[in-house]
Amino acid sequence: MGIEILPGLYEIALQMKEKFEKVTSNFHLERRDRPVVDFLLGSFLSDLQWLDGDVIFANSTCFEAATMSRLHELAAKGMKKGAVFVTLSRPLLSAESRSEPFEVVWEGRQKMSWGGADCFLHLKTR
């Protein structure tokens, strides 16, 4: 599930979803085995359906410290143990600069469409 707050980017996401579904329809998978991709127009701070995910990605390069702290709080309370949370530019930290209940299991620089970005993979440990 993707949550996009900007209407223009939400529309682009829906176009990409359509292309993805066309490509995956050629895989001849049973309907129950096909990947499900959904997008919402809204805010991840209030639309909390993402907490059920196995892998969460936040393009967090421009997020302020308060937003990252709130994101950490929501994820710490709502994500299941063993889920992975990927952030860009900064790790997922609480207001006290603690990462618990997450462990950064990988970090590195990755090429993005706009240039390089530091990536952090967090594992929810409890």
Side-chain angles (χ1 to χ4, degrees):
M1 166 172 301
I3 302 175
E4 180 54 62
I5 200 164
L6 299 174
L9 292 180
Y10 171 73
E11 291 301 323
I12 291 170
L14 293 179
Q15 293 169 11
M16 294 297 103
K17 174 186 175 182
E18 187 176 317
K19 289 181 181 181
F20 175 78
E21 288 173 343
K22 284 180 184 175
V23 168
T24 58
S25 70
N26 294 328
F27 293 166
H28 305 292
L29 297 172
E30 297 291 328
R31 180 166 287 302
R32 70 176 186 279
D33 295 328
R34 289 186 186 157
V36 176
V37 177
D38 287 316
F39 293 98
L40 296 175
L41 178 61
S43 169
F44 60 81
L45 296 176
S46 57
D47 296 315
L48 303 180
Q49 297 174 47
W50 60 270
L51 291 170
D52 293 330
D54 295 317
V55 178
I56 308 298
F57 171 78
N59 190 349
S60 53
T61 298
C62 295
F63 290 1
E64 296 178 359
T67 302
M68 290 299 287
S69 178
R70 179 69 177 135
L71 191 57
H72 176 276
E73 178 185 347
L74 292 169
K77 289 179 183 175
M79 286 177 65
K80 62 187 164 213
K81 180 181 177 180
V84 174
F85 201 124
V86 181
T87 59
L88 297 184
S89 300
R90 67 196 76 186
L92 190 61
L93 297 173
S94 68
E96 298 81 28
S97 297
R98 293 195 322 262
S99 61
E100 296 88 13
F102 296 94
E103 176 186 346
V104 176
V105 295
W106 183 87
E107 65 180 275
R109 193 136 180 96
Q110 294 293 307
K111 184 178 178 183
M112 302 292 167
S113 62
W114 65 87
D118 294 323
C119 298
F120 299 86
L121 273 66
H122 311 79
L123 177 67
K124 177 108 186 288
T125 57
R126 53 183 162 87

